Amino acid sequence: MPSYELCLLFKVLPRPEITQCLKRTASKIFETGGFIRRIDNLGTADTPWKISSHDAIHKQASYFIVEFDVPSSALDPFNNYLSRDIDIIKRTIFKVPENIPQPACTLHEELKPPAYRSEVKEMIAIGKRKREKEARKKVQFNTGLDYMPFQR
Amino acid sequence: MGRFRTNRFNPWTNLQKTIGQKKTEAIDGDVQVFKSEHLVNIPNPYEKEKRLCILCKMNIVPDYKNTRMLSQFISRFTGRIYGRHITGLCRHKQDHVEKEIKKSREAGLMPFYFRNPEFSHDPKLFDPDNPFRPHHY
Ligand SMILES: [Zn+2]
């Protein structure tokens, strides 16, 4: 089961109702055979733009982050369920990336003059290969003469 | 010569020494053996110190929930993400930051067309008028 992160924007509601909403969402995750790793409350804040959902315009929302694991086949129905919940303004599900090793910093190489940069060297090599290919395509009259005996 | 550290080898003085050495040897006999303890297999004294971008230096992995950090990489007036030549990030970190900003906007955490006014007076990590590499215009 892959890990997912759900960014939930609830309507601004009193505390007990928010708990109800979260419980609903959580129980839906458990129904699909998943489990919850963490729930973060990011608090109530102004939304960056006016969001209209379920026939109402919202300028404020309570932000929650839910980290959970569900089978990937259950994700689409779950998203559909959230879209029909009228207390949810907006929801976005992201896949949590695996632990990718961070590559070493390449800034030092990138700040070198163009002629010393490996990517520029590569580009020059590509151009050179292309020119060679075109030169090979050109017809060569192997007459052994340094002039053109026939009209072209 | 202030830019050379004291413990570092100074190329000029030793160059003078070796030139003198070479001359005396040539006078002494016909066998010329170039003996030098310096100038051979030494690291380039002119090499600049390796620079790291600010995120690699601080060991920060950009995350879409950290909107305050991501807001430092977008324009205050247009909300556009600054390019790599302005931000001074390495290729990987710049790509990562751009991805996370887009995720954050998609999730409704960050605006598209401006920077959150709360973050207007955050410290500046770079100057767009004074980029790391020149602008293409
Ligand atoms: Zn870096």
Side-chain angles (χ1 to χ4, degrees):
Chain A
M1 282 197 291
S3 285
Y4 298 99
E5 251 179 23
L6 169 65
C7 182
L8 272 175
L9 273 69
F10 282 119
K11 272 181 199 171
V12 182
L13 294 167
R15 203 178 169 87
E17 288 181 47
I18 288 269
T19 0
Q20 282 278 315
C21 297
L22 273 172
K23 267 184 192 167
R24 246 183 288 150
T25 319
S27 59
K28 191 73 189 171
I29 292 169
F30 295 137
E31 271 173 40
T32 56
F35 60 90
I36 294 174
R37 286 176 187 273
R38 197 165 69 172
I39 298 178
D40 281 338
N41 184 2
L42 304 188
T44 305
D46 292 344
T47 54
W49 60 87
K50 289 192 285 184
I51 303 175
S52 74
S53 71
H54 302 292
D55 301 330
I57 290 171
H58 304 277
K59 295 182 181 177
Q60 272 204 327
S62 328
Y63 287 75
F64 282 91
I65 304 279
V66 183
E67 276 183 39
F68 64 101
D69 281 30
V70 287
S72 47
S73 59
L75 203 67
D76 219 29
F78 178 57
N79 197 20
N80 185 292
Y81 169 79
L82 293 178
S83 74
R84 283 181 281 108
D85 193 330
I86 55 162
D87 289 329
I88 293 173
I89 298 170
K90 193 175 169 64
R91 83 279 166 211
T92 327
I93 297 173
F94 296 114
K95 200 171 176 208
V96 175
E98 305 288 322
N99 277 334
I100 311 156
Q102 298 290 318
C105 196
T106 53
L107 182 71
H108 188 72
E109 278 71 48
E110 286 166 31
L111 289 178
K112 279 179 184 170
Y116 295 98
R117 266 182 255 151
S118 59
E119 61 197 58
V120 175
K121 278 179 189 169
E122 237 169 66
M123 281 197 296
I124 290 169
I126 289 167
K128 201 181 167 191
R129 255 179 276 141
K130 204 176 167 189
R131 258 176 279 124
E132 279 171 4
K133 206 178 168 187
E134 274 167 14
R136 256 184 276 130
K137 269 188 194 168
K138 210 176 170 189
V139 180
Q140 292 189 348
F141 302 100
N142 294 323
T143 53
L145 300 170
D146 59 347
Y147 63 95
M148 193 58 189
F150 312 111
Q151 227 175 10
R152 249 204 295 188
Chain B
M1 307 313 279
R3 60 196 163 119
F4 293 111
R5 290 193 206 131
T6 45
N7 60 345
R8 263 194 183 169
F9 148 76
N10 186 338
W12 295 111
T13 52
N14 283 293
L15 201 69
Q16 294 295 327
K17 215 185 267 175
T18 46
I19 289 164
Q21 223 177 26
K22 209 177 174 185
K23 268 182 191 167
T24 49
E25 272 174 12
I27 294 159
D28 283 350
D30 46 0
V31 183
Q32 282 188 28
V33 183
F34 185 78
K35 277 182 190 171
S36 173
E37 289 173 3
H38 308 300
L39 288 175
V40 186
N41 294 333
I42 55 156
N44 183 3
Y46 296 102
E47 192 144 306
K48 286 174 184 166
E49 274 176 42
K50 200 177 177 191
R51 293 177 73 176
L52 294 172
C53 70
I54 189 153
L55 294 187
C56 285
K57 203 194 285 168
M58 302 290 176
N59 203 8
I60 297 167
V61 180
D63 185 30
Y64 76 99
K65 283 162 278 178
N66 191 355
T67 50
R68 186 157 206 155
M69 194 271 281
L70 294 176
S71 290
Q72 286 181 305
F73 295 101
I74 67 172
S75 165
R76 184 183 158 184
F77 305 105
T78 62
R80 287 191 60 175
I81 304 165
Y82 284 119
R84 198 147 48 90
H85 64 292
I86 296 171
T87 58
L89 296 179
C90 60
R91 182 183 291 277
H92 173 259
K93 285 287 178 193
Q94 176 75 15
D95 287 354
H96 203 162
V97 163
E98 283 177 17
K99 249 182 223 169
E100 295 300 318
I101 288 173
K102 280 166 192 170
K103 268 168 82 174
S104 178
R105 283 170 170 172
E106 200 191 330
L109 292 164
M110 238 169 98
F112 282 82
Y113 287 109
F114 56 94
R115 185 199 281 174
N116 190 342
E118 272 179 41
F119 308 146
S120 289
H121 300 293
D122 279 358
K124 288 179 181 107
L125 303 179
F126 47 81
D127 180 14
D129 295 327
N130 208 352
F132 279 70
R133 284 198 279 136
H135 293 300
H136 62 82
Y137 47 82

